[in-house]
């Protein structure tokens, strides 16, 4: 008696051949696997890239804001934007909406780089972290230059002092470094340390 090699088909609606993932299952698996890094040579897919970029953008914006708060004398430009175009008052009256808009802006910015990064990173895993960091720094500086030359000058009709311009640029480099580090990670949580092998003095100890 020979066993049939035909696949078993699920007759329920929207079901495919057993063993194959539907688009919704692939999306669910991508979201569940968001913490481990992308395997070498594996295309993470658009939704995974979007999710990872949004996560990284939010985290990077928080880090940038914490870095900038003690040394930058002004509120984020999003407060000024809200005051001019929405609230109709001084920026100081719209601290909370400005911060929310600031976080949203940074999250969207992270999403953009998150989608672009898999296309930038076509290298071996050993080079991924460096590629991600460099991409993040360049991207952060581009956003900073756009903010100074377009948003401040043309949209808000404002100018920054030379000292504040420097802080503004450095803060966005911090944003880019954080975002790049987030996008370039390859390891799951708890796997940052390797077991030390006997006789191997160079292996990191757990």
């Amino acid at each position: 008696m020979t066993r049939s090699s035909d696949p078993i088909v699920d007759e329920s609606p929207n079901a495919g051949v057993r063993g194959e993932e539907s688009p919704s299952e692939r999306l669910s698996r991508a979201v569940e696997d968001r913490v481990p890094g992308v395997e070498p040579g594996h295309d993470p897919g658009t939704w995974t890239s979007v999710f990872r970029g949004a996560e990284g953008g939010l985290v990077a914006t928080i880090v940038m804001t914490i870095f900038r708060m003690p040394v930058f004398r002004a509120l984020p430009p999003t407060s000024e934007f809200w005051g001019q175009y929405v609230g109709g008052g001084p920026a100081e009256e719209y601290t909370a909406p400005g911060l929310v808009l600031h976080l949203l802006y940074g999250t969207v910015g992270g999403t953009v780089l998150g989608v672009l990064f898999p296309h930038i990173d076509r290298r071996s895993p050993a080079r991924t972290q460096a590629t991600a960091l460099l991409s993040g720094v360049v991207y952060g500086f581009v956003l900073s230059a756009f903010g100074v030359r377009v948003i401040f000058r043309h949209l808000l009709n404002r100018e920054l002092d030379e000292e504040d311009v420097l802080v503004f640029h450095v803060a966005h480099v911090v944003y880019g470094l954080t975002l790049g580090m987030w996008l370039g990670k390859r390891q799951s949580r708890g796997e940052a340390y390797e077991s030390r092998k006997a006789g191997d003095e160079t292996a990191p100890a757990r």
Side-chain angles (χ1 to χ4, degrees):
M1 177 176 177
T2 59
R3 183 174 298 175
S4 173
S5 59
D6 293 335
I8 301 175
V9 179
D10 189 346
E11 296 181 356
S12 60
N14 300 324
V17 178
R18 187 172 297 177
E20 296 182 358
E21 290 182 319
S22 67
S24 61
E25 289 172 336
R26 287 196 296 270
L27 176 59
S28 299
R29 183 169 56 83
V31 173
E32 291 173 357
D33 295 341
R34 66 187 181 276
V35 173
V38 180
E39 294 298 328
H42 175 68
D43 186 356
T46 302
W47 286 110
T48 304
S49 299
V50 167
F51 188 88
R52 186 176 290 118
E55 270 188 328
L58 179 61
V59 172
T61 306
I62 293 172
V63 172
M64 175 183 68
T65 304
I66 294 173
F67 166 82
R68 194 171 64 178
M69 285 178 64
V71 292
F72 194 65
R73 294 175 295 175
L75 293 169
T78 47
S79 294
E80 186 71 33
F81 173 86
W82 194 277
Q84 288 191 25
Y85 293 96
V86 181
E92 291 75 12
E93 295 181 2
Y94 306 103
T95 302
L99 287 175
V100 171
L101 190 59
H102 179 62
L103 292 172
L104 179 61
Y105 177 75
T107 301
V108 172
T111 302
V112 172
L113 186 60
V115 172
L116 293 176
F117 182 69
H119 303 286
I120 298 173
D121 179 35
R122 300 300 183 189
R123 298 174 174 85
S124 67
R127 297 181 179 178
T128 294
Q129 198 67 269
T131 303
L133 289 175
L134 180 60
S135 299
V137 170
V138 172
Y139 186 67
F141 189 77
V142 168
L143 290 179
S144 181
F146 177 79
V148 170
R149 296 180 178 274
V150 177
I151 294 180
F152 272 106
R153 291 182 182 177
H154 300 286
L155 190 62
L156 302 178
N157 195 26
R158 293 285 188 271
E159 287 284 350
L160 286 173
D161 295 336
E162 291 185 4
E163 182 180 345
D164 291 331
V165 169
L166 178 61
V167 174
F168 192 78
H169 287 319
V170 172
H172 279 80
V173 170
V174 171
Y175 170 88
L177 281 170
T178 306
L179 178 58
M181 183 70 72
W182 189 275
L183 295 177
K185 64 181 182 179
R186 290 292 194 184
Q187 296 167 310
S188 304
R189 291 173 183 167
E191 295 181 359
Y193 305 105
E194 298 177 359
S195 299
R196 189 172 184 177
K197 299 178 182 178
D200 187 357
E201 298 297 330
T202 61
R206 186 181 294 274

